[in-house]
Amino acid sequence: MAGRPTKYTDDIVDLARMYLEGGWQEQGDAVPQIAGMALAMGVERQTLYEWAKDDDKEEFSYIFTRVMALQERGLINNGLKGSFNPAITKMMLTKHGYSDKSEIDHSNSDGTLDKPTRVELVAPSKQE
């Protein structure tokens, strides 16, 4: 049983490349986004994730990875400058492996602390 014919063509890769090379700004996206790229290409977002994992679609996988890297850089830089909403920036950076951890101290009734306060920022782990 055959499935639907693929929309993956040289023209669709060209659309992805155009999005990467500035089309995201022309669409008004604050940072490059997979959803924005999907809209520019006329395909579903999930399809892009599937193509990015496909060994036969190496060029698209490269473009996808670059879009994600540009997004990460844009989120970090604009977050540090205060240009982006901190809560949204933090949430979006979780997609790139960032997280934060915190321990909350609890005081005893006499005012002493059971544990010292510790806040730890965790950078994304290296992905293969």
Side-chain angles (χ1 to χ4, degrees):
M1 178 183 254
R4 281 168 114 177
T6 184
K7 290 185 175 185
Y8 190 83
T9 63
D10 289 342
D11 289 340
I12 206 85
V13 174
D14 289 342
L15 289 173
R17 191 177 307 103
M18 285 190 304
Y19 182 83
L20 170 66
E21 294 172 351
W24 62 273
Q25 293 166 319
E26 293 168 10
Q27 287 189 18
D29 293 344
V31 291
Q33 308 163 35
I34 299 306
M37 187 165 65
L39 287 169
M41 296 168 65
V43 298
E44 296 296 321
R45 187 173 49 121
Q46 186 58 38
T47 300
L48 301 187
Y49 283 98
E50 291 170 13
W51 287 349
K53 292 186 267 180
D54 189 333
D55 292 337
D56 293 334
K57 296 175 175 61
E58 191 173 315
E59 185 176 7
F60 179 78
S61 181
Y62 171 79
I63 293 168
F64 184 96
T65 301
R66 297 287 300 159
V67 166
M68 293 298 286
L70 284 172
Q71 180 186 88
E72 180 181 1
R73 184 176 74 182
L75 289 167
I76 292 169
N77 288 335
N78 286 299
L80 290 170
K81 293 176 190 174
S83 304
F84 285 177
N85 176 294
I88 298 299
T89 301
K90 180 179 173 180
M91 179 195 67
M92 289 181 71
L93 281 170
T94 63
K95 185 70 175 172
H96 298 280
Y98 291 83
S99 65
D100 65 352
K101 295 180 182 179
S102 61
E103 290 183 17
I104 300 172
D105 291 336
H106 298 280
S107 297
N108 293 323
S109 59
D110 65 0
T112 61
L113 297 176
D114 289 331
K115 295 182 190 177
T117 300
R118 184 176 129 185
V119 176
E120 179 181 350
L121 296 177
V122 180
S125 60
K126 297 235 182 208
Q127 297 179 356
E128 295 181 46

